[in-house]
Amino acid sequence: MVKRIHVLEDDIDIRYIIEYLLKDEGYELQLSSNVEELKQKLNDSLPDLFIIDVMLPDGNGIDICRDLKEDIFTKHIPVIVMSANPRSKELSVDAYADDYISKPFDLDYVVSRIDKQLNKNKVK
């Protein structure tokens, strides 16, 4: 079964790179450029994993991560937080993020972090 990843990233270039990379890896994608878009798309279907940028035009990815992890319907879904700010790593741990990716990132590293989260989830 194909795994679906929801990417919340406002930078169009980064979103395109992640989209291209993950489609090439065989994942189905949902893409959002802001928090409002994410909320609308979550009404349609839930993904198997979230990748969330910290700096967003209408919110903070750390807060979104915490909200997802505290919501009964989404708390079981792994969340990977991405940021160029080194302080965000510590904040993402406090928000119950399952993993963290520093920007700029290595493409192979991104794929390995996603695979780890999705396979960890499958073993349970």
Side-chain angles (χ1 to χ4, degrees):
M1 189 167 138
V2 175
K3 298 285 186 178
R4 181 182 305 127
I5 299 172
H6 193 116
V7 178
L8 174 57
E9 170 62 64
D10 64 318
D11 184 300
I12 192 165
D13 293 328
I14 294 173
R15 202 170 56 241
Y16 175 79
I17 289 167
I18 292 172
E19 177 184 20
Y20 183 81
L21 172 70
L22 297 182
K23 279 188 176 178
D24 192 50
E25 291 291 321
Y27 292 111
E28 183 180 310
L29 285 150
Q30 290 176 313
L31 303 168
S32 297
S33 59
N34 59 54
V35 177
E36 192 57 40
E37 224 181 308
L38 169 74
K39 289 178 181 178
Q40 289 172 358
K41 290 180 179 178
L42 287 181
N43 288 330
D44 296 332
S45 65
L46 293 176
D48 298 295
L49 178 119
F50 290 100
I51 298 176
I52 300 175
D53 183 29
V54 172
M55 300 295 292
L56 298 163
D58 61 344
N60 180 304
I62 300 294
D63 295 334
I64 301 307
C65 176
R66 182 176 287 108
D67 290 346
L68 290 168
K69 287 303 195 174
E70 291 177 348
D71 185 291
I72 192 164
F73 296 108
T74 56
K75 69 181 182 179
H76 65 284
I77 301 172
V79 177
I80 298 175
V81 173
M82 288 191 317
S83 179
N85 183 340
R87 178 145 162 63
S88 294
K89 183 172 186 174
E90 181 183 320
L91 295 172
S92 69
V93 169
D94 293 341
Y96 317 112
D98 296 279
D99 207 342
Y100 178 84
I101 296 173
S102 296
K103 290 180 181 178
F105 50 79
D106 175 78
L107 298 179
D108 291 331
Y109 182 75
V110 171
V111 171
S112 73
R113 304 316 298 165
I114 290 168
D115 288 345
K116 179 181 179 198
Q117 288 303 317
L118 291 174
N119 289 328
K120 178 176 80 174
N121 217 23
K122 191 167 118 177
V123 172
K124 290 180 181 178

